[in-house]
Amino acid sequence: RLQTPAFLDFATHAPISLLAVDEAHCVSQWGQDFRPSYLKVPDFVRALPHRPPVAAFTATATQQVRRDMIRLLELEEPYTLVTGYNRPNLRFVSVKPTSKPGYLLRYLEEADPDACGIVYCSTRKNVEEVCQFLQSSGISATRYHAGLEPEERQQNQEDFLFDRVQVMVATNAFGMGIDKSDVRFVIHYNMPKDLESYYQEAGRAGRDGAEARCILLYSGQDVRTAQFLISQSEPSEQLDPETARQLQERDLGRLKQMTFYCRTRRCLRQYILNYFGQSAPDYCGACYNCLHN
C-alpha cells in the first residue's frame, strides 16, 4: 500500500504526526517472518514532505533483530524500550505424549468447561483432523485456516471471540490482531519452526494476567516435517541466491533451538528468556520441568 501512487498522494498531503511500524521484526532477514516489502518503509518516509516521528514495535525480537530494526528503518537517535519477555502468569509445558489426540482430549475433558483456548496445528490437514476429532468427542470446537472461505473464517473467529465455542483449532493464520484477553490455554499440537513464533503464539494466552497454560506437544515427526518445509520453501524473488541460502541456514539453526527447547530438562521459562537475551533464574517453580525434574 505504501508504494501505490494513490496512497502516496494521500500521505504527502496529510498531516502525519506519527508513523508506526508494527511487527517490525519483519524488516530483518534474521527475524522469523522476514518480508522484503518492509525494506521499502524508509523510501516512503523519505518521500514525505516532512519526516514524522517513526516508531517500531514488535513482541519478539533478539538483539540482532532489534539492531536491524534501528538500522534498516533508519530510526534517528531512537529511544529504545524493552519491557522484558517474562510473563509470570504463563505456565509452560513441553511433553512428548504417546498419543497426541489422547493427551489433548484428556486435557480438555479435565479443564474448566468454561475455559477457552487455542490449539495450533502446523498444516490445514491437521486442523481439519483435530477439529473433527474434538467435535466427535463432544468438545465445543471450531476451525480456522487460509483454505476456508472468508465468510466461514469470519464466523468461526467471532464464535470464538464471543464464547460461542470453547476451542479454536487453527494454523498460525489465526492470532494476529486477535484481542481476547481470557484465553486460558494455548496448545501447540505440532512443534513450530522457531522459538520466536512459538512465544508469540503461546503469548496469546493469559493476557488478562490470570494463570494460563502454554503446552507444546512434541514428536520426532514434527522435526522432520519442519525440516521438509524449510527445505522446500520458495525464496522471495527479491532475494539473491546467496541471501536465500543464508536464510535457509538461519531457519534450520532456529529449528535446532526449538528442538532443544522441547528436549531440555532445564527450566523452560529460563530457556525462552535466555534465547531473547534476558537473564532468568534456574528455577521458576511453575513450568513442567521445574515441577517434575
Side-chain angles (χ1 to χ4, degrees), residues 3-291:
Q3 301 302 305
T4 59
F7 188 82
L8 203 56
D9 179 66
F10 157 76
T12 54
H13 294 89
I16 298 176
S17 58
L18 173 70
L19 190 144
V21 183
D22 197 16
E23 307 294 350
H25 59 270
C26 296
V27 76
S28 169
Q29 72 177 43
W30 305 108
Q32 87 273 18
D33 190 21
F34 174 53
R35 302 181 194 179
S37 60
Y38 269 63
L39 297 172
K40 302 291 186 181
V41 171
D43 295 339
F44 172 76
V45 175
R46 286 193 292 269
L48 299 175
H50 303 286
R51 177 189 171 93
V54 179
F57 301 93
T58 182
T60 49
T62 59
Q63 291 179 339
Q64 181 174 15
V65 171
R66 296 202 295 268
R67 288 194 294 268
D68 281 353
M69 286 162 53
I70 292 173
R71 178 175 60 86
L72 296 171
L73 293 174
E74 299 179 0
L75 304 184
E76 298 179 357
E77 300 180 10
Y79 171 72
T80 302
L81 176 64
V82 181
T83 59
Y85 291 97
N86 190 23
R87 298 272 303 282
N89 62 311
L90 300 185
R91 304 289 183 258
F92 294 98
V93 178
S94 177
V95 294
K96 188 178 182 181
T98 54
S99 168
K100 288 186 178 183
Y103 183 101
L104 178 61
L105 185 59
R106 282 194 302 275
Y107 178 84
L108 295 176
E109 288 178 340
E110 295 170 3
D112 182 342
D114 294 326
C116 63
I118 304 170
V119 178
Y120 278 113
C121 300
S122 59
T123 65
R124 299 177 189 180
K125 181 173 182 285
N126 281 349
V127 168
E128 296 290 344
E129 291 174 348
V130 171
C131 185
Q132 186 175 34
F133 167 71
L134 293 181
Q135 290 174 342
S136 65
S137 301
I139 302 296
S140 173
T142 190
R143 60 185 181 165
Y144 190 104
H145 60 70
L148 301 177
E149 291 297 324
E151 295 79 10
E152 183 182 350
R153 285 204 307 270
Q154 183 67 29
Q155 183 62 55
N156 293 350
Q157 176 174 303
E158 290 182 1
D159 286 346
F160 179 70
L161 290 177
F162 295 107
D163 298 318
R164 292 191 285 264
V165 295
Q166 178 192 7
V167 180
M168 172 62 79
V169 186
T171 62
N172 60 9
F174 179 80
M176 284 286 189
I178 299 300
D179 185 18
K180 185 170 175 62
S181 64
D182 63 343
V183 174
R184 294 276 66 85
F185 58 87
V186 171
I187 299 174
H188 278 78
Y189 196 80
N190 306 106
M191 184 191 73
K193 291 186 293 184
D194 52 69
L195 271 165
E196 287 93 338
S197 298
Y198 175 68
Y199 199 48
Q200 193 167 63
E201 291 160 11
R204 288 166 190 149
R207 290 183 173 176
D208 56 3
E211 183 175 318
R213 296 195 178 277
C214 305
I215 302 172
L216 174 53
L217 307 183
Y218 163 75
S219 74
Q221 182 59 45
D222 291 336
V223 181
R224 292 187 288 273
T225 299
Q227 289 172 334
F228 174 79
L229 293 174
I230 291 172
S231 66
Q232 296 299 312
S233 62
E234 290 289 332
S236 169
E237 296 178 355
Q238 302 179 51
L239 300 178
D240 61 80
E242 176 59 22
T243 301
R245 184 192 64 80
Q246 290 178 354
L247 292 182
Q248 188 174 86
E249 287 185 359
R250 172 212 66 178
D251 289 343
L252 290 171
R254 287 208 295 235
L255 174 61
K256 186 177 294 185
Q257 291 294 325
M258 186 75 245
T259 306
F260 290 162
Y261 171 83
C262 295
R263 295 174 174 174
T264 187
R265 298 176 66 84
R266 287 170 47 195
C267 170
L268 295 173
R269 185 185 307 276
Q270 182 196 53
Y271 191 100
I272 292 172
L273 296 180
N274 285 176
Y275 180 82
F276 288 109
Q278 185 174 334
S279 61
D282 296 336
Y283 180 83
C284 74
C287 77
Y288 183 88
N289 287 357
C290 286
L291 295 174

